[in-house]
């Protein structure tokens, strides 16, 4: 097996599909033209929420489930940002700063933007496994936890994202995969 590359594929089983996730999170707020990098984001998670309505037949002594219909689709993002930039802190304080990308001084008017909409983009940069790029074109962003300004550990800005159906793209988002070779120089070398 010397020289065998671990290569991902769309088929299983294949150890080349094992995954250690890394990536870049960028947000483009409603009205902006460019995505802005959020800095180091150690947690980025998507959770699909499917609501079903079960049907039970009453034709026998014990009702039996004979059909399930999906009646609602929703999704949420969990985002934990470690860089307390004015923009990231503004998302937690529900007030977007007006300055440019790297102002020397910035003021945030707390609660001036109680509802914040934007697009969220994940660009996979992992070395192990398939690289996923995921775009969520319409997300309502909200603070998920208290903004701790005193502590004995690294500070974070924690957000929840309510993934919404986007009328322009007619989707909740898209996910694309690239299948690079995993590093390591091959098996048995």
């Amino acid at each position: 097996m010397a020289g065998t590359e671990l290569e991902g594929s769309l088929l299983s089983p294949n150890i080349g599909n094992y995954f250690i996730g890394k990536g870049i999170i960028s947000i483009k707020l409603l009205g902006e033209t460019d995505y802005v990098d959020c800095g180091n984001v150690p947690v980025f998670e998507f959770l699909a929420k499917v609501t079903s309505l079960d049907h039970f037949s009453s034709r026998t002594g014990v009702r039996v489930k004979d059909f399930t219909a999906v009646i609602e689709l929703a999704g949420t993002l969990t985002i934990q940002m470690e860089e307390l930039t004015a923009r990231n802190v503004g998302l937690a304080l529900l007030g977007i700063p007006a300055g440019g990308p790297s102002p020397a001084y910035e003021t945030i008017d707390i609660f001036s933007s109680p509802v914040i909409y934007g697009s969220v983009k994940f660009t996979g940069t992992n070395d192990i496994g398939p690289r996923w790029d995921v775009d969520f074109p319409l997300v309502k962003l909200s603070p998920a936890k208290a903004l701790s300004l005193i502590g004995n550990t690294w500070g974070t800005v924690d957000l929840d994202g309510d993934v919404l159906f986007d009328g322009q793209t007619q989707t909740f988002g898209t996910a694309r995969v690239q299948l690079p070779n995993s590093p390591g120089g091959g098996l048995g070398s």
Side-chain angles (χ1 to χ4, degrees), residues 29-179:
L29 298 177
L30 202 62
E32 294 180 338
T33 56
D34 297 317
Y35 281 90
V36 176
D37 187 335
C38 294
N40 196 50
V41 178
V43 176
F44 183 75
E45 299 171 336
F46 171 73
L47 175 64
K49 296 180 179 180
V50 179
T51 303
S52 301
L53 179 63
D54 294 332
H55 181 271
F56 294 85
S57 172
S58 299
R59 296 177 55 91
T60 61
V62 176
R63 291 183 344 142
V64 293
K65 185 176 4 176
D66 61 357
F67 186 71
T68 299
V70 174
I71 59 170
E72 189 173 297
L73 294 173
T76 58
L77 298 176
T78 301
I79 305 168
Q80 184 182 75
M81 301 182 285
E82 287 187 323
E83 297 187 26
L84 274 68
T85 63
R87 180 182 173 96
N88 290 351
V89 170
L91 293 170
L93 299 176
L94 297 175
I96 304 304
S102 59
Y105 177 79
E106 187 66 79
T107 300
I108 298 169
D109 186 5
I110 298 170
F111 294 142
S112 63
S113 302
V115 180
I116 299 174
Y117 292 100
S119 301
V120 178
K121 179 170 62 171
F122 170 80
T123 305
T125 61
N126 51 294
D127 289 332
I128 306 296
R131 285 189 182 164
W132 285 92
D133 295 335
V134 185
D135 294 316
F136 299 98
L138 185 58
V139 178
K140 180 184 165 293
L141 297 165
S142 305
K145 293 183 182 175
L147 178 63
S148 179
L149 298 174
I150 297 175
N152 293 317
T153 185
W154 299 113
T156 61
V157 172
D158 295 271
L159 300 177
D160 284 334
D162 191 12
V163 178
L164 305 172
F165 182 79
D166 180 44
Q168 275 190 316
T169 63
Q170 293 293 300
T171 69
F172 284 96
T174 56
R176 290 170 303 285
V177 65
Q178 301 173 40
L179 302 171

